Every structure is written in structure tokens, then in C-alpha cells.
Amino acid sequence: MVTLKHLAEQLNVSISTVSKALHDSDEISPDTIERVKALAKFLNYKPNRLAVSLKNSKTNTIGVIVPNILNHFFAKALFAIEQEATKQGYNIITCLSNELQSKEINSLQLLSNGSVDGFIMSMAQETQVANKVDHINAILSQNIPIVLFDRVSEDIDCDKVIIDDFGAAYEATKHLLSEGRKHIVLVSDIDELSVGKLRTSGYLEALSEASNYTSEPVIVTTKKSKSIEEVIEQLFIDNSHIDAIISIDNTTGVIALQKALNLNFSIPKELSIIGFSDENVLQFTNPKLSTVSQHTLDIGKASVKMLINNLNDKTSVNRTTKTIKTKLVLRGTTL
Amino acid sequence: MVTLKHLAEQLNVSISTVSKALHDSDEISPDTIERVKALAKFLNYKPNRLAVSLKNSKTNTIGVIVPNILNHFFAKALFAIEQEATKQGYNIITCLSNELQSKEINSLQLLSNGSVDGFIMSMAQETQVANKVDHINAILSQNIPIVLFDRVSEDIDCDKVIIDDFGAAYEATKHLLSEGRKHIVLVSDIDELSVGKLRTSGYLEALSEASNYTSEPVIVTTKKSKSIEEVIEQLFIDNSHIDAIISIDNTTGVIALQKALNLNFSIPKELSIIGFSDENVLQFTNPKLSTVSQHTLDIGKASVKMLINNLNDKTSVNRTTKTIKTKLVLRGTTL
DNA sequence: GTGAAAGCGCTAACAT
DNA sequence: ATGTTAGCGCTTTCAC
């Protein structure tokens, strides 16, 4: 590895002269600058990031903790985070909590020792279910900023990026009502998560506001004892009058669509389906699933921007929550 | 941030004593060790990773460069890499090349300045198509080890983890032949990649060995001008006698299945389909797609192990290529 | 058993 | 215009 020392020795100047020259300091004569830069380029000199970071107490690295990279939503969020971070001159260190609080605690601990300037994270399911957030607040109290996205907690005072989960489900349900649907079933694989609860509330609210809707709300959640597919098969058995499904997670909508097609439902004539799936999944369905688009790329991008803003102005104490607009995209599974 | 200096001052001992105590040096008296550790724990002392790394010229960090995180295969590989790396006490810095050589070069340059001990990567499509690999060899010549997985090049002398692409496609095609299929079409979205070429060869070889197979091989590749879906629709128009499809990439198999169902093919009676999709995609199909399982988790895991081995024994000069076994998993789309 | 000092590679205040 | 020095936080050799 080529260091400033090497360059200095080769050129018979001091290390600091080399350092200054490489930074275009006007303390250094133009031709020295030239000579230094020429040699640096020739030897492919690259400043050692560890040393620079140590010196400056600034790593230009963001710790990103996502619960599950195999979930399209998080893969896409990570994609956007990496893209925006790179654009702004930051690296990302990626940790996957795999929905476990223990891994989340571990990653946070491990990286809060000078490895990163701040964190962008979405809470592990375990953490959110128990609402045990001390480990996150501990980081904040060390003055390391965190941006929470998607899965957040009210007990953490930090910047947040979310979508209007209540509103999105409310709007989707409203749409199904406007189609004249009379038996709208909600399916959820995420009833334990904050976003799941909010979306369910939106569904319930829309139904309760519909004066001419006479059925009871039906909420079907997945359970550990059964596979998602079994739950959805049972759903069709239990709800013979079903004429609409709103799936509030990434996967159950697509699976419900497959099962319904198998049962020879005419879609969307007899049965409408709206999901919360990421676009990438949809290319595999036929007809294409109507969905609530979450603008995942915007979520990732906004998270990075918020964190870097915070990093650049540590004095600001006001924490903000940014809500990314969703959009109901009607495709082939709605009228 | 709590440093050794803080601890030393509090305890009225020297910094080096603290350092040694924390490392259980037998130069230090048991009770000093105890006192030091107690205070360290109390103040939540964590050694500054930058300083340790700088001192030891060892970062315990792996740079991971993947072409496309939205591809299930790479998401899963990343999942496995992160898991194994964490297990072995390494962090990963993730970079996404987005199939662009420029981004690949950039990431390599950026991290080869002391940020990481080595790289695990799969080549960007651009890089592989042009077989322009100087930037990768440049890193190797700086004595920074690289493990290449999935998409590799013969012009790079480093450790590699691959699957037997030729053999996997050969075996899959053999299976279709054994079903008595007479018109087997190969579909590929990756005909420009090394793995695509090898899998195609396997298909061709299997057909040419089949003495009673009279049709010509048919290879359908996607093109930039058309969507994958259009290409597959056209495929069914052009090949009216088609009775089997082998898809050698992640997505075309699933799409072909949807289209075939739409065209009222009885599957697998009239038409067999075998894909190379990752398991995660399959939960969305009905019937379930038969596939070549690539054991992606093993690929990721093996990559990490190889890299760390190399890191631990830099003297070893022999580069090896590990081939992960594939498995033909017959599900609902084959007889 | 403890401490002083050098050094990893870099920056920056302070000489000259 | 150039060099000296101290220091970021840590490890380690060498003194005492």
C-alpha cells in the first residue's frame, strides 16, 4: 500500500508537504503540487480510509440494518439506499437482523464503535412485537443518529420515513367498496407489525364508514402452525360469498390470486384483489395484481437524505417524520 | 466515545496497562485486570475499530459487490454471505454494481484503500460481456484477495465458486428427453453471460446425444427491443409443436408457465417446464415450477470460507475453484 | 506488574 | 513555500 511517507521519500519532501499538495493547498508551490500529484497518480496512491476516518472522526459510512433481505420490499429499499449513499459519497455496511432482536442489538453494538457515522434501519419483527427499544435508544444517547424506516416505534425519538399505512389501506378498501363489493376479506401476514396494524385499521375504518356495507369485517392472519397457502385455501372455504380481497403484505395477495384462479374464480369479475406487493413480484402473475405502490425507492432515498442532513447539522434537535405518498395502482385484478 | 485513555485516567494507570488488562495479559495482576474490566463494562467501552484496524492492518471487513440485488439469486447469496461473515466475525460492506462496469471499478477502487481485507464479487454483465477484467486483476496484484462467484472469468486468477452450469442444464434436458419430449425449447434472458452460455451448451449436448430426437434445437433469447413477455408469447406462436421448455435464468420459466396456462396448455401433460428460478419465486406459481436448485446458500457460504482461508494464509499461491452441486427438483411442471 | 515510547497513515496548527 | 510536531485510539516492544 502506497502511503504519504512513500511519496515524501521519493520526492525528498516532508509528509505534510505531500498531504497539503494533494489537497491543493495554496501554501504549496504549483510545481511541487504538480510533481506530487504526478507521482501519486503514477503509484496509484489512495489515501487510507481508516487513517482519514480516525483522524477526522468521520467515516463516511452508514450502517444499514434490514430485517429480511429476501423480502422484495427490503431488497428494493437497500437498492435505493446504496444508490443514494454512493451518490453522496458514503459507503454502506449492511447487516441483516433476520427479524431477530439479538442480531439487531449485536449489529448496533458492533458498528457503534466508530465504524459508522449513523444508522438507517427498519426494526426486526421481534423488536417491534415486544417494543423493546432500549438498545436503539442507547445508540441515540451516544449521539449517533438513526433513521428508522417502515417499521418504526413511537418510543424512539429519531428521524423516520414511513408511508401512510392507514390511508393506503383505507383508500384501497374504498376502491373495493366503490366496485360494489359486499364481502371484502383482509389477509395479512404481518398482523404483529406496526404497519400491519395501521393498514388493518384503515380497512376497518373504510368499512365502518360505508353505510350500505352489511357484512362483518373479516380478517385472516397467517399462523406459525400453518403455511400461508393453507391459510388462504381455508379462507375460500370459510368465506363462500367472498368477492374481494385486500392483502396488506408482500406475498399473500399473489398467493391468493393463484388460489382463486385455481378455484376458477373469474377475476376481476367475481373477485377483486388488491395487494401491497412490490412491483417485482407482479411480473409473475397473470392477470397482473392491482397494488398499493409504496414507492420503495423514494423511501430509501429519503432515508439517506435525512441521515446525511442530520450528520451535517448535529446541532439540530428537531426530529422529523417523513411520510412518502402511496399510490393505488389498478391493474388486472380490479374492475 | 470512551477510550483507553479515559479508562486509564479514571483508574490512575497507564494506557498500556489498560490495554493489556483488557486482553488478559499475564503481565498484569489479576485484580488490576478485574478493576479495568469492571470500569470498561460500566462505561460501555468498545475498542475503536478504526484504530484497531489501522494498527493491525486488518479490518475484518469484506467488500461484497453484487450486480443486482433485485435478482433473487443475488439477494439470497448476499443473505448467505452476510450470515457466514457475521459468524466468522467479519462485517460486510455492500456495493451494487447494477451490472455496470463503471460502478464495479469504482467500488473496487474505493474499498481497496484499507477499507476491506478482501472482496467477494460476481461480475457485472457489462464486465463479463466485454471480458474487460483489468480492474479486477489490478486489485489482485495489490495482494488483496478476491473470491468470484457465479459469474467468473478465465482471465482472472483467483478463487472461484461456481455451479456446474453445463451439467445442470444437461441433466435437466436429459430429464425432458426421458419424458419423451420431442420439441424442447430453451429460453434465456442471460445469453450474454458465461453461465448462460454454459447452460446452453449443456442443453445442446444433451439433444445431440439423443439419437431419437429429431427436432432442431430451438433457443429463444430476450432482446432489448421487446419485453420478456412479448418474447415468450411469440415463442408459443413460432413453435406450435412445443412440448417442453427449459428456462436457464431466474425469471423466464415462471413467465412461460403463466403464459402457457393462459393458452390452456395442460401442464405437465402437454407441456413440461424446468427453470433455474430461486425457490422464493416459486411460492407464487401454481403448479409449482420444477427447477434446477442452485444451492445458493451454499454458494455464499463457500465464498466466505474461501476468502477467509485465503486471508488467513496469504502465502498459499494456489487458487482453487469450488463447484457447488446442483439438484434437479421435480415439482408440478414435469411428469 | 507497570509504564514509556514508537508507530499504524493521516491532518493541521504551528514553526521556520 | 516547506517542515516539525502533536495527536486520532490502539498495540506492542522495551524499560524499569
Side-chain angles (χ1 to χ4, degrees):
Chain A
M1 160 157 275
V2 186
T3 67
L4 289 185
K5 201 174 168 187
H6 290 105
L7 300 181
E9 281 166 1
Q10 295 272 324
L11 295 166
N12 276 315
V13 294
S14 75
I15 292 177
S16 62
T17 300
V18 175
S19 174
K20 287 172 187 165
L22 290 172
H23 288 92
D24 285 310
S25 163
D26 43 289
E27 287 181 14
I28 307 296
S29 74
D31 55 289
T32 308
I33 291 186
E34 193 123 333
R35 284 170 55 227
V36 169
K37 286 194 169 177
L39 185 65
K41 185 158 193 183
F42 179 67
L43 296 179
N44 192 22
Y45 166 79
K46 288 165 288 180
N48 183 310
R49 252 181 50 107
L50 296 177
V52 176
S53 296
L54 181 59
K55 180 67 191 172
N56 299 343
S57 304
K58 176 92 168 71
T59 62
N60 269 267
T61 301
I62 298 171
V64 181
I65 307 179
V66 289
N68 177 8
I69 190 66
L70 300 178
N71 178 321
H72 290 264
F73 172 78
F74 289 116
K76 201 160 180 178
L78 183 62
F79 171 82
I81 290 169
E82 197 272 351
Q83 186 155 299
E84 182 67 19
T86 300
K87 193 173 147 196
Q88 306 238 16
Y90 279 75
N91 282 126
I92 62 171
I93 292 191
T94 310
C95 297
L96 310 178
S97 67
N98 294 334
E99 307 287 10
L100 301 176
Q101 175 160 89
S102 58
K103 273 215 69 180
E104 193 174 274
I105 293 177
N106 222 265
S107 303
L108 245 17
Q109 279 288 326
L110 226 57
L111 297 184
S112 61
N113 59 358
S115 299
V116 302
D117 295 337
F119 290 95
I120 294 176
M121 66 181 287
S122 191
M123 293 163 70
Q125 176 158 353
E126 258 191 23
T127 303
Q128 199 165 50
V129 169
N131 198 31
K132 238 309 239 129
V133 296
D134 293 352
H135 58 300
I136 300 178
N137 281 324
I139 302 295
L140 288 169
S141 70
Q142 288 169 53
N143 213 19
I144 301 176
I146 299 177
V147 172
L148 240 37
F149 74 95
D150 193 58
R151 302 188 192 162
V152 302
S153 164
E154 288 192 348
D155 296 343
I156 302 173
D157 181 29
C158 69
D159 288 325
K160 293 165 195 170
V161 179
I162 55 173
I163 64 168
D164 176 10
D165 290 290
F166 177 92
Y170 176 85
E171 188 195 351
T173 308
K174 278 280 189 197
H175 175 84
L176 294 173
L177 288 166
S178 78
E179 286 185 348
R181 301 300 177 181
K182 298 296 178 202
H183 297 276
I184 306 173
V185 174
L186 179 142
V187 190
S188 168
D189 188 25
I190 53 168
D191 58 303
E192 287 182 314
L193 299 180
S194 57
V195 295
K197 296 201 171 84
L198 288 167
R199 292 174 196 173
T200 302
S201 308
Y203 159 79
L204 292 172
E205 175 65 18
L207 289 192
S208 76
E209 284 180 10
S211 51
N212 59 339
Y213 186 84
T214 52
S215 322
E216 287 298 306
V218 180
I219 296 171
V220 175
T221 60
T222 55
K223 331 203 174 310
K224 287 196 189 82
S225 57
K226 285 190 180 176
S227 76
I228 296 182
E229 299 189 63
E230 286 171 320
V231 169
I232 288 175
E233 274 164 14
Q234 191 61 41
L235 176 170
F236 284 110
I237 296 171
D238 295 344
N239 299 275
S240 51
H241 295 308
I242 188 170
D243 59 8
I245 293 176
I246 173 171
S247 151
I248 61 167
D249 60 77
N250 233 295
T251 56
T252 56
V254 181
I255 294 170
L257 172 58
Q258 301 296 356
K259 293 290 173 200
L261 288 171
N262 240 32
L263 293 169
N264 287 316
F265 274 92
S266 162
I267 293 178
K269 207 167 143 232
E270 297 168 3
L271 178 72
S272 279
I273 306 180
I274 296 179
F276 268 74
S277 296
D278 191 89
E279 280 83 2
N280 287 70
V281 180
L282 304 185
Q283 61 179 317
F284 303 126
T285 77
N286 191 333
K288 296 244 184 295
L289 189 68
S290 298
T291 53
V292 174
S293 169
Q294 302 185 56
H295 298 287
T296 312
L297 298 180
D298 294 337
I299 293 176
K301 207 167 159 182
S303 302
V304 175
K305 284 187 173 165
M306 270 182 128
L307 183 65
I308 293 180
N309 274 346
N310 193 347
L311 251 19
N312 290 341
D313 178 18
K314 283 240 183 189
T315 59
S316 144
V317 192
N318 281 345
R319 302 281 63 99
T320 63
T321 294
K322 174 151 190 172
T323 304
I324 303 290
K325 284 214 167 27
T326 61
K327 194 175 158 200
L328 181 58
V329 182
L330 302 177
R331 296 189 181 83
T333 61
T334 42
L335 291 176
Chain B
M1 160 160 277
V2 185
T3 68
L4 290 185
K5 200 173 167 186
H6 290 106
L7 300 181
E9 281 166 1
Q10 296 270 326
L11 296 166
N12 276 317
V13 293
S14 74
I15 291 176
S16 58
T17 300
V18 175
S19 174
K20 288 170 185 167
L22 289 172
H23 288 91
D24 285 310
S25 162
D26 44 295
E27 288 181 15
I28 307 295
S29 74
D31 54 287
T32 307
I33 291 185
E34 192 123 335
R35 283 170 56 229
V36 169
K37 285 194 169 178
L39 185 65
K41 183 157 194 182
F42 179 67
L43 296 180
N44 192 23
Y45 166 78
K46 289 166 289 182
N48 183 310
R49 252 181 51 107
L50 296 178
V52 176
S53 297
L54 182 59
K55 181 68 192 169
N56 298 344
S57 304
K58 176 95 169 69
T59 62
N60 269 267
T61 301
I62 298 171
V64 181
I65 306 179
V66 290
N68 177 8
I69 189 67
L70 300 178
N71 178 321
H72 291 266
F73 172 77
F74 289 116
K76 201 161 180 179
L78 183 62
F79 171 82
I81 291 169
E82 197 273 350
Q83 188 155 299
E84 182 65 20
T86 300
K87 192 173 149 196
Q88 307 238 16
Y90 280 74
N91 282 126
I92 63 169
I93 292 191
T94 310
C95 296
L96 310 178
S97 66
N98 294 334
E99 306 288 9
L100 301 176
Q101 174 160 86
S102 57
K103 272 214 70 181
E104 194 174 274
I105 293 177
N106 221 266
S107 302
L108 245 17
Q109 279 289 326
L110 226 59
L111 297 184
S112 61
N113 60 359
S115 300
V116 302
D117 295 337
F119 290 95
I120 294 176
M121 67 181 285
S122 191
M123 292 163 71
Q125 176 156 353
E126 256 191 22
T127 302
Q128 199 164 49
V129 170
N131 198 31
K132 233 319 234 125
V133 297
D134 293 352
H135 57 300
I136 299 178
N137 282 323
I139 302 295
L140 288 169
S141 69
Q142 289 168 53
N143 213 20
I144 301 175
I146 298 178
V147 172
L148 240 36
F149 73 96
D150 192 56
R151 302 189 194 163
V152 303
S153 164
E154 289 192 348
D155 296 344
I156 302 173
D157 181 29
C158 68
D159 288 325
K160 294 165 193 168
V161 179
I162 55 174
I163 63 168
D164 177 9
D165 290 289
F166 177 94
Y170 177 85
E171 188 195 350
T173 308
K174 278 279 190 199
H175 175 84
L176 294 173
L177 288 166
S178 78
E179 287 185 346
R181 301 301 177 181
K182 298 296 178 201
H183 297 275
I184 306 173
V185 174
L186 179 143
V187 191
S188 169
D189 189 25
I190 52 169
D191 59 304
E192 288 182 315
L193 299 179
S194 58
V195 295
K197 296 201 171 85
L198 288 167
R199 292 173 196 173
T200 302
S201 308
Y203 159 79
L204 292 173
E205 175 65 18
L207 289 193
S208 75
E209 285 179 10
S211 51
N212 58 340
Y213 186 82
T214 53
S215 320
E216 288 297 306
V218 181
I219 297 171
V220 175
T221 59
T222 54
K223 330 202 174 310
K224 288 197 188 82
S225 57
K226 285 189 178 176
S227 75
I228 296 182
E229 298 189 64
E230 286 171 320
V231 168
I232 288 175
E233 276 164 12
Q234 190 61 41
L235 176 169
F236 285 110
I237 296 171
D238 294 344
N239 300 276
S240 50
H241 295 306
I242 188 170
D243 59 9
I245 293 176
I246 172 170
S247 152
I248 61 167
D249 60 77
N250 232 296
T251 57
T252 55
V254 181
I255 295 170
L257 172 58
Q258 301 295 356
K259 294 290 173 199
L261 289 170
N262 240 29
L263 293 169
N264 287 317
F265 274 91
S266 162
I267 293 178
K269 205 165 144 239
E270 297 168 2
L271 178 73
S272 279
I273 306 180
I274 296 179
F276 268 74
S277 295
D278 191 271
E279 279 82 2
N280 288 70
V281 180
L282 304 184
Q283 62 180 315
F284 302 127
T285 76
N286 193 331
K288 295 242 185 294
L289 189 68
S290 296
T291 53
V292 174
S293 170
Q294 302 185 57
H295 298 289
T296 312
L297 298 180
D298 294 337
I299 294 176
K301 207 167 159 181
S303 302
V304 174
K305 284 187 173 165
M306 270 183 127
L307 183 66
I308 293 179
N309 274 345
N310 193 346
L311 252 19
N312 290 341
D313 178 17
K314 283 240 184 189
T315 59
S316 145
V317 192
N318 280 347
R319 301 283 64 99
T320 62
T321 293
K322 173 149 192 175
T323 303
I324 304 291
K325 283 216 170 23
T326 61
K327 194 174 159 203
L328 181 58
V329 182
L330 301 177
R331 296 189 181 83
T333 61
T334 41
L335 290 176

